[in-house]
């Protein structure tokens, strides 16, 4: 017996009943979920039947309706249907314990957690309620005046959060843009000559250069003084220019 046939039998039974007991596996059940509003009360979801699964021990008597359904669909005896169903259920359990999931075509997916607890995830478009055919979701257009205060508050809060995120992004991007921009050299105007002078030129006039300039001026002044006033500076210059012996010969 293929899993596809098992899925069909379960689906046919759950359409007509609130539960389907499966021997050695558990129980598929269906409950009617009433119509409901969306969170903002702008949409009405129609009623539907929700299918779920509960793993527990199922007796042969409780599983007889499914066994008879398999017998009818497969065209075999009741005894043979029991053998076919047992083989199929063994395969399903093996896949759940090994791969942790087993697809039931037309129904959904059986899954197992780390403790081998089985659960069922129905297909999104699973239809097991004939009376609900044609029911669709209804959207409600609400004017600003009729809109509940909570809805308006939620929308304003969402807009405020989006604005805060936008501002934060701009604040993050602004320092990055400033880092990418290369600083332009500062230019000042020399009042005496009317020519632009860059900050790099001003940096060259540091104290070291000033000392050198002053020393240069003093040396030049000293040389000029020695040339113009040799007699007055002779006591200072002679020891620098002549040795002691040469000074004795010169009589100085």
């Amino acid at each position: 017996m293929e899993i596809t046939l098992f899925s069909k039998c379960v689906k046919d039974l759950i359409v007509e009943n609130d539960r389907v007991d499966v021997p050695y596996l558990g129980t598929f059940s269906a409950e009617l979920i009433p119509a409901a509003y969306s969170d903002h009360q702008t949409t009405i979801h129609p009623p539907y039947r929700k299918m779920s699964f509960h793993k527990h021990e199922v007796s042969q008597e409780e599983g007889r309706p499914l066994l008879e359904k398999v017998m009818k669909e497969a065209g075999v005896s009741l005894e043979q249907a029991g053998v076919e169903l047992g083989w199929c259920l063994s395969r399903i359990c093996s896949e759940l314990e090994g791969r942790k999931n087993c697809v039931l075509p037309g129904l959904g997916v059986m899954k197992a957690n780390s403790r081998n607890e089985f659960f069922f995830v129905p297909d999104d478009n699973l239809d097991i309620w004939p009376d609900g055919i044609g029911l669709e979701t209804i959207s409600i257009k609400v004017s600003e005046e009729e809109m509940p205060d909570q809805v308006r508050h939620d929308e304003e809060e969402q807009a405020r959060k989006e604005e805060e995120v936008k501002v934060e992004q701009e604040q993050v991007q602004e320092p990055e843009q400033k880092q990418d921009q290369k600083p332009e050299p500062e230019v000042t105007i020399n009042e005496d000559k009317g020519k632009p002078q860059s900050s790099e030129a001003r940096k060259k006039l540091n104290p070291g250069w000033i000392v050198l300039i002053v020393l240069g001026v003093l040396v030049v002044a000293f040389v000029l003084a020695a040339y113009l006033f040799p007699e007055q500076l002779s006591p200072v210059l002679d020891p620098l220019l002549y040795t002691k012996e040469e000074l004795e010969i010169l009589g100085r």
Side-chain angles (χ1 to χ4, degrees), residues 3-19:
I3 295 180
T4 302
L5 180 58
F6 169 77
S7 300
K8 181 181 183 305
C9 293
V10 172
K11 184 175 182 179
D12 289 347
L13 290 174
I14 203 68
V15 168
E16 301 174 356
N17 304 276
D18 292 335
R19 57 183 293 169

Side-chain angles (χ1 to χ4, degrees), residues 109-122:
V109 181
M110 290 284 295
K111 295 188 176 183
N113 57 23
S114 58
R115 296 189 298 271
N116 280 334
E117 296 174 341
F118 300 164
F119 58 96
F120 175 70
V121 180

Side-chain angles (χ1 to χ4, degrees), residues 140-148 151-152:
I140 304 175
K141 293 184 179 180
V142 182
S143 63
E144 185 69 20
E145 292 76 10
E146 297 175 345
M147 184 179 296
V151 177
R152 285 199 299 271

Side-chain angles (χ1 to χ4, degrees), residues 152-162:
R152 285 199 299 271
H153 174 74
D154 292 344
E155 292 183 350
E156 292 173 356
E157 184 69 15
Q158 182 66 24
R160 184 182 63 80
K161 290 181 179 180
E162 292 177 357

Side-chain angles (χ1 to χ4, degrees), residues 200-249:
E200 294 180 357
R202 296 202 313 275
K203 290 180 181 178
K204 293 180 180 179
L205 299 178
N206 53 41
W209 284 101
I210 295 175
V211 172
L212 292 176
I213 292 172
V214 171
L215 290 176
V217 172
L218 292 176
V219 170
V220 173
F222 182 77
V223 171
L224 291 174
Y227 178 77
L228 296 175
F229 310 102
E231 295 298 331
Q232 288 79 357
L233 295 178
S234 177
V236 179
L237 295 175
D238 289 349
L240 298 175
L241 299 175
Y242 305 102
T243 64
K244 185 176 181 180
E245 291 78 6
E246 291 173 340
L247 289 174
E248 291 176 355
I249 294 173

